[in-house]
Amino acid sequence: MTKITPQPGIMDIELYQGGASHVAGLSNVVKLSSNENPFGPSEAAKEAFRKAAYDLHRYPPTDHRALREAIGEVHGLDPARVVCGVGSDEIIAFLCQAYAGPGDEVIHTEHGFAMYKISAKANGATPVEVPERERVTDVDAILAACNKNTKLVFIANPNNPTGTMIGEGEVARLAENLPDHVLLVLDGAYAEYVEGYDGGAGLVDSRENVVMTRTFSKLYGLGGLRVGWGYGPQHVVDVLNRMRGPFNLSQAALVTAEAAVRDESWATKCREDNTRLRAWLAEALAEHGVPSDTSTANFILARFASREEAEGCDAHLKSEGLIVRPVAGYNLPHCLRITVGDEASCRRVAHAVGQFMGNAR
């Protein structure tokens, strides 16, 4: 028997389950399971990607300067304090690798993104789950869970898969009252869907214990290229850049993301369309007896009376070629997360849910 063993914590990781994209026996399906932008990237981003084909034999720049400067210009941030990664997942992994190890604890909320727990365990740290209050981040519960072993606190705001968020005052209260040795990580994967919200950038600028992560996979429609970024105090960014691989992002990814972030009119259109269709879908589901919390992201967490009802509805939707996301793995077995698609997709899924609920009564 081999004596080769991995580091502690790695074999305790449950593999991440992405949103399904296929239904056996069906070829024409609508995927509403991964919170992708149904309108895709902007024309400017697609053109940048096409042009990148001529430079595939060249190594990309190691400093990501052009993309960081574009992010800084659009969001009003210091580009020197922006770090880019393979999706925001890589920034999350860097933070756990840099600041948490055996004997340390990493706090996340009970319905928080699965990668917080996975990245903590991958580095031998202990993930600590704290309760939410009616599917909303509970600042007092987080503060009560902190101790001398706590190194990182992760909250997604807006949260995935609930779609809820807490106000900037509550986030500031959390940052202000954390122990001095704890770093607060604000996951802003869905921040662009909230009009006028900076994702916590202002708090990062005013404090030394807050980091923000963002992604191009959602509003900007670049999930297939895997580009994310973080913004933090200089002392944190210096650490993360020492861990980042020099060529972690391809040239195609860098130039496409730069074009995407600069095309602010497309981002505005996608946000406005999502806001309109999200409200319509939530109301349509409620009329069929399926409630949801007010979502601030590009999905709705549909709540059913029981796990059995949620699973039954999921099966019915699949039979109709509609793929949504069961979220039992997020401690929400009676819920389905439904991405806000284009208008035709929203109408189809609302109609199918109505069919199921009518037959279930």
Side-chain angles (χ1 to χ4, degrees), residues 209-261:
N209 67 334
V210 183
V211 177
M212 173 182 73
T213 66
R214 302 283 278 271
T215 187
F216 283 89
S217 297
K218 305 305 178 184
L219 183 74
Y220 294 109
L222 298 182
L225 283 185
R226 312 303 302 122
V227 186
W229 54 281
Y231 182 64
Q234 196 66 58
H235 71 91
V236 174
V237 173
D238 286 347
V239 169
L240 301 188
N241 274 322
R242 281 169 167 75
M243 306 172 64
R244 178 179 61 80
F247 303 111
N248 62 327
L249 288 177
S250 70
Q251 176 70 1
L254 288 168
V255 298
T256 306
E258 181 186 350
V261 75

Side-chain angles (χ1 to χ4, degrees), residues 250-278:
S250 70
Q251 176 70 1
L254 288 168
V255 298
T256 306
E258 181 186 350
V261 75
R262 290 191 184 281
D263 195 339
E264 296 183 70
S265 62
W266 180 254
T268 298
K269 178 188 182 301
C270 291
R271 179 171 54 249
E272 291 176 349
D273 285 347
N274 176 79
T275 299
R276 173 176 56 85
L277 292 167
R278 181 181 64 201

Side-chain angles (χ1 to χ4, degrees), residues 95-106:
L95 287 163
C96 286
Q97 187 179 353
Y99 294 102
D104 297 329
E105 295 181 354
V106 174

Side-chain angles (χ1 to χ4, degrees), residues 2 24 29 64 74 80 116 129 131 150 165 167 171 175 203 213 225 236 241 245 247 290 297 311 343 355:
T2 181
V29 300
H64 307 156
V74 171
Y116 310 148
E129 182 178 292
T150 307
M165 69 181 296
V171 178
L203 197 60
T213 66
L225 283 185
V236 174
N241 274 322
F247 303 111
V290 181
E311 291 175 348
E343 185 163 350
Q355 280 184 322

Side-chain angles (χ1 to χ4, degrees), residues 87-127:
S88 54
D89 294 2
E90 188 174 42
I91 306 300
I92 291 168
F94 288 159
L95 287 163
C96 286
Q97 187 179 353
Y99 294 102
D104 297 329
E105 295 181 354
V106 174
I107 289 176
H108 64 91
T109 65
E110 65 177 311
H111 305 310
F113 184 39
M115 290 308 300
Y116 310 148
K117 183 186 299 185
I118 289 174
S119 294
K121 287 184 175 181
N123 292 285
T126 301

Side-chain angles (χ1 to χ4, degrees), residues 130-131 133 137-146 170 173-174 177:
V130 301
R133 184 183 294 121
T137 296
D138 186 338
V139 168
D140 291 318
I142 292 173
L143 293 173
C146 289
E170 277 293 271
R173 183 169 74 88
L174 174 59
N177 288 283

Side-chain angles (χ1 to χ4, degrees), residues 283-315:
E283 184 176 348
L285 294 178
E287 289 176 354
H288 294 311
V290 181
S292 60
D293 296 312
T294 299
S295 174
T296 52
N298 68 334
F299 57 85
I300 288 170
L301 185 69
R303 302 201 309 274
F304 295 84
S306 65
R307 180 174 191 150
E308 291 71 26
E309 188 173 76
E311 291 175 348
C313 187
D314 183 43

